[in-house]
Amino acid sequence: MSRQSNRTTDSKKMNSELFTLTYGALVTQLCKDYENDEEVNKQLDKMGYNIGVRLIEDFLARSSIGRCQDFRETADVIAKVAFKMYLGITPSVTNWSPAGDEFSLILENNPLVDFVELPDNHSTLVYSNLLCGVLRGALEMVQMAVDVRFAQDTLRGDNVTEIRMKFIKRIEENLPAGDE
Amino acid sequence: MADEAPFQFLHNEVIQYIYKSADNGETESGRNIAKLENMGFRVGQGLIERLTKDTARFKDELDIMKFVCKDFWTCVFKKQIDNLRTNHQGIYVLQDNKFRLLSQLSAGKQYLEQAPKYLAFTCGLVRGALSNLGVKSIVTAEVSIMPACKFQIMIQKSSN
């Protein structure tokens, strides 16, 4: 009991480290299982997608956010609410295309890469590619087809981490045949 | 990060991934458990390193176990272990009456045969944590009714 007093453990921080380290273990395993980085990227994206389609339910239930009117509002919700809620960071939204269908998320500090250093022989590995899948999967569940990819990554020597998102189309709700 | 949802979803997805590669005939079930356990081991090592950096030296084995039950468990699973028992000969049983990774699954015998998948990572987590505290061990888990489960830790006497 006497020791208890001088222990100050920040459980929020620990929890984020648990996530970061688990993700690292996953990427390590994938790199062992697959021969090239492209395959690993693809697998991470796929797993992210699976997470995204579930995470959106959790998100909508807890944030009480309704349908977005346009892509700009979507961008705001992603950066200010979703990223804040799940990763504890607020990326900035920049580089809008003139048509307003494309923007970038700039991540100041990506929690997924907290303890990570990429070895030289993995130069094409997109370490945090899971995030792309998550965003794509989540948005697909709210009828938005979006293309998501990493444009820049600090792990590969860029100054910032940039996720580029491009709106493709609105997914029509398909009523089953014979349903009025 | 204030939220536990990402870890839970990621954990599920890791299990999915490991078992899907088994469906292709690459590995059998025992190997999968071992793979998950090894991933947990590495994570446990990292976590305990971060967690103990400001703590005083431990008195003995029991002290280490108490630390795992209280601080480590609280950090990872937001609650303490409910019951710690030992035979004072190197076997410890940690009981968690509402294990977080099972509490979403079921509260009964349904899906019981799926439970080992959801425990392997945590077994590794504990083994990794102990290993970095200088205790070599074997950790197994058993479930009779979800979401309660017991982790049994067998200390390996070092042979030097």
Side-chain angles (χ1 to χ4, degrees), chain A residues 82-138:
Chain A
F83 265 86
K84 180 92 195 131
M85 185 164 169
Y86 292 118
L87 296 178
I89 54 168
T90 311
S92 48
V93 180
T94 55
N95 292 344
W96 279 99
S97 66
D101 64 344
E102 217 176 314
F103 69 89
S104 293
L105 291 169
I106 307 288
L107 280 66
E108 289 287 324
N109 41 358
N110 177 0
L112 286 185
V113 304
D114 268 351
F115 314 113
V116 180
E117 214 172 281
L118 276 191
D120 291 337
N121 56 345
H122 283 295
S123 54
T124 51
L125 178 70
V126 185
Y127 185 85
S128 318
N129 211 30
L130 188 94
L131 286 181
C132 295
V134 172
L135 288 165
R136 190 165 57 85

Side-chain angles (χ1 to χ4, degrees), chain B:
Chain B
M1 181 192 337
D3 207 80
E4 61 184 65
F7 171 71
Q8 294 234 0
F9 283 114
L10 183 66
H11 181 252
N12 289 346
E13 208 50 48
V14 168
I15 293 170
Q16 279 295 318
Y17 164 71
I18 297 281
Y19 276 83
K20 212 175 278 168
S21 59
D23 285 346
N24 304 336
E26 287 169 32
T27 49
E28 69 274 22
S29 174
R31 289 264 319 272
N32 292 325
I33 296 286
K35 256 190 195 175
L36 283 170
E37 219 251 350
N38 281 334
M39 291 170 80
F41 183 79
R42 184 66 198 89
V43 175
Q45 282 187 318
L47 278 179
I48 204 77
E49 207 169 275
R50 313 277 300 166
L51 190 57
T52 52
K53 69 180 191 291
D54 299 320
T55 55
R57 187 172 276 274
F58 295 105
K59 285 198 296 284
D60 52 17
E61 211 174 80
L62 189 63
D63 208 25
I64 293 178
M65 285 302 163
K66 281 187 189 160
F67 183 81
V68 170
C69 292
K70 283 186 186 154
D71 299 66
F72 185 70
W73 218 260
T74 310
C75 280
V76 180
F77 298 117
K78 301 270 165 47
K79 72 190 282 289
Q80 292 186 7
I81 280 286
D82 294 299
N83 191 348
L84 166 66
R85 273 182 292 178
T86 175
N87 66 352
H88 297 288
Q89 284 167 10
I91 294 183
Y92 295 82
V93 177
L94 281 59
Q95 186 174 335
D96 190 333
N97 294 332
K98 194 163 183 278
F99 185 53
R100 206 179 77 179
L101 294 176
L102 293 178
S103 58
Q104 307 284 335
L105 283 186
S106 114
K109 289 197 190 298
Q110 198 189 10
Y111 303 125
L112 198 59
E113 71 276 19
Q114 307 290 332
K117 292 183 192 178
Y118 289 83
L119 299 170
F121 184 82
T122 308
C123 287
L125 216 56
V126 175
R127 192 166 64 88
L130 289 174
S131 144
N132 260 23
L133 295 174
V135 179
K136 240 176 103 185
S137 62
I138 295 174
V139 182
T140 52
E142 60 170 302
V143 186
S144 47
I145 291 181
M146 295 212 263
C149 75
K150 283 179 189 163
F151 293 92
Q152 179 169 314
I153 302 171
M154 267 182 283
I155 309 291
Q156 308 292 94
K157 290 282 167 264
S158 55
S159 53
N160 48 11

Side-chain angles (χ1 to χ4, degrees), chain A residues 19-150:
Chain A
F19 179 67
T20 306
L21 289 166
T22 307
Y23 185 69
L26 170 67
V27 178
T28 311
Q29 183 66 45
L30 289 173
C31 286
K32 271 187 217 155
D33 290 355
Y34 292 96
E35 276 162 22
N36 64 60
D37 292 348
E38 284 307 315
E39 287 293 318
V40 177
N41 293 342
K42 221 194 272 175
Q43 188 64 38
L44 283 173
D45 182 79
K46 208 160 92 188
M47 295 172 83
Y49 178 85
N50 294 341
I51 293 176
V53 299
R54 291 160 169 232
L55 199 64
I56 187 73
E57 292 188 20
D58 181 80
F59 176 73
L60 292 177
R62 287 167 47 188
S63 64
S64 65
I65 280 176
R67 201 168 274 275
C68 291
Q69 296 307 316
D70 57 19
F71 204 42
R72 278 179 192 272
E73 194 186 338
T74 309
D76 267 359
V77 170
I78 291 172
K80 294 192 183 121
V81 189
F83 265 86
K84 180 92 195 131
M85 185 164 169
Y86 292 118
L87 296 178
I89 54 168
T90 311
S92 48
V93 180
T94 55
N95 292 344
W96 279 99
S97 66
D101 64 344
E102 217 176 314
F103 69 89
S104 293
L105 291 169
I106 307 288
L107 280 66
E108 289 287 324
N109 41 358
N110 177 0
L112 286 185
V113 304
D114 268 351
F115 314 113
V116 180
E117 214 172 281
L118 276 191
D120 291 337
N121 56 345
H122 283 295
S123 54
T124 51
L125 178 70
V126 185
Y127 185 85
S128 318
N129 211 30
L130 188 94
L131 286 181
C132 295
V134 172
L135 288 165
R136 190 165 57 85
L139 289 174
E140 198 171 301
M141 291 300 114
V142 289
Q143 278 86 41
M144 270 187 241
V146 180
D147 180 61
V148 190
R149 64 191 167 77
F150 272 87

